[in-house]
Amino acid sequence: AELKKASKRLTCHKRYKIQKKIREHHRKVRKEAKKRGRKKPKKDPGVPSAAPFKEELLREAEQRKQRLEELKQKQKLNRQKEHEKKRKLEAKKNAAKITEKAEGKGSSGKSKAKTNKLLDKNSKKSFCRELKKVIEASDVVLEVLDARDPMGCRCPQLEQAVTCSGGDKKLLLVLNKIDLVPKENLEKWLNYLKKEFPTVAFKSATLMKDKTMPEQFTKRRARVDLSRTTECFGSKCLLKLLQEHGKAQNKAIQVGVVGFPNVGKSSIINSLKGVRACNVGLARGVTKSMQIVHIDKQTKMLDSPSIIADPSNSALALALRSIIDTEESGSADVLEGVDAILNHCSKQQVMMHYSIPDFRNTEEFLTLLAQKRGMLKKGGVPDVENIAKLLLCDWTGAKISYHSQPPGSQRPPPYLTEDKIAEMQECFNLKNLEEENNNTVQALKYPSPASSIIFQSAGMANGTIEENKVIEVASEWENLETSKEGKEEEEEDFTESDDEDDVEEEEKDVKEVNQVSSTLALALVSLTRHFLFSESEHSNSLSFSLDKTADEDDAYDFNTDYV
């Protein structure tokens, strides 16, 4: 016989007993809750439909919430970056200690010197030292200018150092990226600059064959506009000018190529050589030290690091001419740079170029651009920081066509007297140079004046050439060198206190949100009451005032009359 499963039925007596126990338990829980005085949180009543300006109030509340969310996200990202930096520093310190212990005291001194040299390469002082080397070693100095803003690329300190150095040192101006400005504007700039220094119009090749890579042939090739990529213009003219100067001096000459970041110094050397001899890139400050490239038996080119922009320059000059590391630089510096650029451009042309609607300020412009390009963070929040960094790269790179007008009257700087101008122009055949420049100008395609953005130049940008005048910001590397071995415990305490500060900040933010929501709810309730009472009394006008809290600076102003 098969065994049957046990029945789950209960006797009525047992079932009623269980139900009674449950009721008693619930009663006990309610009684304890009553003693503690804990009440359920009241639900938000929302905005009554009868309240005036309901939509505006709701919109403002939503914007305030969004602002607080973005602020929280920024704070969180900053905290994460700080923690990552600390971790990296600790890891480097530990690695340095391990190597010191392994190699011993004698070898540790040598390793320290080596690391100091490596770390020093990235410093501003090192850039100035290398630039000074290039200027001293050169017979001819080429100052490279961006044709879109030639005056903003000129450095008076460099020009003065070369012209007042004595000897037969010459200074030539090379107007690069001429394909990014309208033809009429280029001709105006050439006429303006040639009155001070011999000026060469140049368009460097951007796609160069790497000398280390073997050639690869493909059967089918797409039709590409080679004038914008592989071909360079003005190279024959420049080489001819340098060779003639070498013959006049009757010796092999060294030519230093100097200028601010992203004006195309290394690209010019690559174009003259015909292969990719120097590293180039969109990032600023790719070249860290002096590099010698042999063009022919009589000519050596010296590539140099960028000129360091002086901190006393305007925000625009710092945005376009300083060495900003877009990965590590703070969002405030980048946003300030973008703001300066937009303030010096035609708003209508910027809107047309980026195909975006009208904007009130820089933040709104970056928000619209981020939404258009799909650069969004978690939750669909526009990634303003990254779009600002991308925009800065576009304006210093060869992507955007903009142009500035030369000054109305020719006023040479005080260090450039008529004798100095004559001295710089001797040994060069200026007639041939003008003819070659005209040929270069005629050979290229140019953007139309309507498609090129009109830009207001900030004038010459001051640079620091002397190593002792550089104000070096205390970097991570210096902290690594100067830190002592017995500070680990202090750093641990510091990180703990940082975490506590972070928690406190988060609590403050939550309190602010709660405070804003509660004050908004109170305001709405009082508003509706007043509105209803005034209706019943048949009053024509309604006036009231609410006390604002200190934190509520940008809250809605209720001290107005509604009719």
Side-chain angles (χ1 to χ4, degrees), residues 298-362:
Q298 295 297 312
T299 316
K300 275 185 198 175
M301 302 296 287
L302 308 178
D303 195 7
S304 69
S306 307
I307 300 168
I308 304 294
D310 198 83
S312 63
N313 282 314
S314 63
L316 178 70
L318 289 172
L320 294 173
R321 307 289 161 236
S322 63
I323 301 168
I324 299 173
D325 187 358
T326 50
E327 294 299 319
E328 291 184 8
S329 61
S331 59
D333 297 337
V334 178
L335 290 171
E336 196 182 336
V338 173
D339 186 43
I341 290 168
L342 292 176
N343 288 337
H344 285 76
C345 293
S346 166
K347 190 179 178 182
Q348 294 296 324
Q349 286 184 318
V350 170
M351 284 160 58
M352 289 281 286
H353 183 271
Y354 288 105
S355 306
I356 56 167
D358 193 12
F359 55 91
R360 286 170 292 180
N361 51 31
T362 308

Side-chain angles (χ1 to χ4, degrees), residues 235-253:
S235 58
K236 287 179 183 176
C237 169
L238 185 58
L239 273 174
K240 194 177 177 184
L241 206 68
L242 295 171
Q243 283 165 355
E244 282 175 3
H245 181 69
K247 283 175 185 175
Q249 295 291 316
N250 200 17
K251 63 169 185 176
I253 57 164

Side-chain angles (χ1 to χ4, degrees), residues 492-546:
E492 283 171 13
D493 297 338
F494 176 69
T495 50
E496 281 171 18
S497 65
D498 267 4
D499 294 336
E500 285 168 14
D501 292 342
D502 296 341
V503 171
E504 281 173 17
E505 277 178 15
E506 283 175 9
E507 283 174 5
K508 277 181 187 175
D509 292 337
V510 172
K511 280 178 187 175
E512 275 179 22
V513 174
N514 294 336
Q515 196 175 7
V516 168
S517 58
S518 62
T519 49
L520 187 64
L522 282 166
L524 289 168
V525 170
S526 61
L527 174 64
T528 48
R529 279 179 188 168
H530 215 95
F531 183 65
L532 292 167
F533 285 138
S534 63
E535 272 187 349
S536 61
E537 289 167 11
H538 303 286
S539 60
N540 293 327
S541 63
L542 175 127
S543 63
F544 52 89
S545 64
L546 287 164

Side-chain angles (χ1 to χ4, degrees), residues 171-442:
L171 181 71
L172 287 176
L173 300 180
V174 179
L175 205 60
N176 196 18
K177 303 182 186 181
I178 58 171
D179 59 320
L180 297 173
V181 293
K183 189 178 178 182
E184 298 80 16
N185 184 257
L186 174 63
E187 286 168 348
K188 281 180 188 175
W189 272 113
L190 285 170
N191 289 330
Y192 178 84
L193 294 169
K194 72 180 182 183
K195 290 171 186 174
E196 293 181 16
F197 293 104
T199 308
V200 181
F202 202 92
K203 190 261 161 193
S204 53
T206 50
L207 286 177
M208 296 297 298
K209 287 184 285 184
D210 193 340
K211 61 182 179 182
T212 58
M213 294 292 287
E215 287 187 20
Q216 291 180 347
F217 294 98
T218 51
K219 288 181 182 178
R220 277 185 160 185
R221 287 184 182 180
R223 298 185 79 180
V224 184
D225 184 11
L226 295 172
S227 66
R228 290 194 65 83
T229 53
T230 52
E231 277 191 58
C232 68
F233 294 84
S235 58
K236 287 179 183 176
C237 169
L238 185 58
L239 273 174
K240 194 177 177 184
L241 206 68
L242 295 171
Q243 283 165 355
E244 282 175 3
H245 181 69
K247 283 175 185 175
Q249 295 291 316
N250 200 17
K251 63 169 185 176
I253 57 164
Q254 292 189 331
V255 183
V257 185
V258 297
F260 282 105
N262 273 86
V263 289
K265 300 182 291 296
S266 300
S267 298
I268 285 171
I269 295 171
N270 290 342
S271 300
L272 293 173
K273 181 73 176 170
V275 290
R276 191 174 174 177
C278 304
N279 282 335
V280 290
L282 284 171
R284 304 186 191 188
V286 173
T287 309
K288 309 270 184 211
S289 57
M290 183 173 81
Q291 189 179 346
I292 300 167
V293 178
H294 292 262
I295 302 296
D296 53 40
K297 287 179 181 178
Q298 295 297 312
T299 316
K300 275 185 198 175
M301 302 296 287
L302 308 178
D303 195 7
S304 69
S306 307
I307 300 168
I308 304 294
D310 198 83
S312 63
N313 282 314
S314 63
L316 178 70
L318 289 172
L320 294 173
R321 307 289 161 236
S322 63
I323 301 168
I324 299 173
D325 187 358
T326 50
E327 294 299 319
E328 291 184 8
S329 61
S331 59
D333 297 337
V334 178
L335 290 171
E336 196 182 336
V338 173
D339 186 43
I341 290 168
L342 292 176
N343 288 337
H344 285 76
C345 293
S346 166
K347 190 179 178 182
Q348 294 296 324
Q349 286 184 318
V350 170
M351 284 160 58
M352 289 281 286
H353 183 271
Y354 288 105
S355 306
I356 56 167
D358 193 12
F359 55 91
R360 286 170 292 180
N361 51 31
T362 308
E363 203 167 335
E364 192 179 344
F365 165 75
L366 292 170
T367 304
L368 290 165
L369 190 61
Q371 285 170 346
K372 188 179 182 295
R373 294 196 179 177
M375 288 186 76
L376 305 170
K377 292 193 278 190
K378 200 174 179 182
V381 179
D383 195 352
V384 174
E385 285 179 33
N386 281 331
I387 199 77
K389 288 171 184 177
L390 195 71
L391 189 114
L392 270 184
C393 286
D394 287 353
W395 275 75
T396 50
K399 212 166 190 180
I400 293 171
S401 170
Y402 62 90
H403 66 279
S404 60
Q405 294 296 333
S409 58
Q410 190 90 24
R411 288 182 185 174
Y415 56 83
L416 207 61
T417 58
E418 287 182 11
D419 296 335
K420 288 285 178 189
I421 292 168
E423 191 185 321
M424 289 294 129
Q425 289 179 349
E426 70 180 5
C427 299
F428 294 116
N429 192 337
L430 298 176
K431 282 185 181 178
N432 284 351
L433 175 62
E434 198 171 342
E435 284 173 17
E436 291 286 346
N437 278 341
N438 287 333
N439 293 339
T440 306
V441 169
Q442 295 302 324

Side-chain angles (χ1 to χ4, degrees), residues 438-462:
N438 287 333
N439 293 339
T440 306
V441 169
Q442 295 302 324
L444 263 169
K445 288 181 183 178
Y446 300 93
S448 64
S451 64
S452 181
I453 298 167
I454 297 165
F455 179 79
Q456 292 175 356
S457 179
M460 285 191 181
N462 292 320

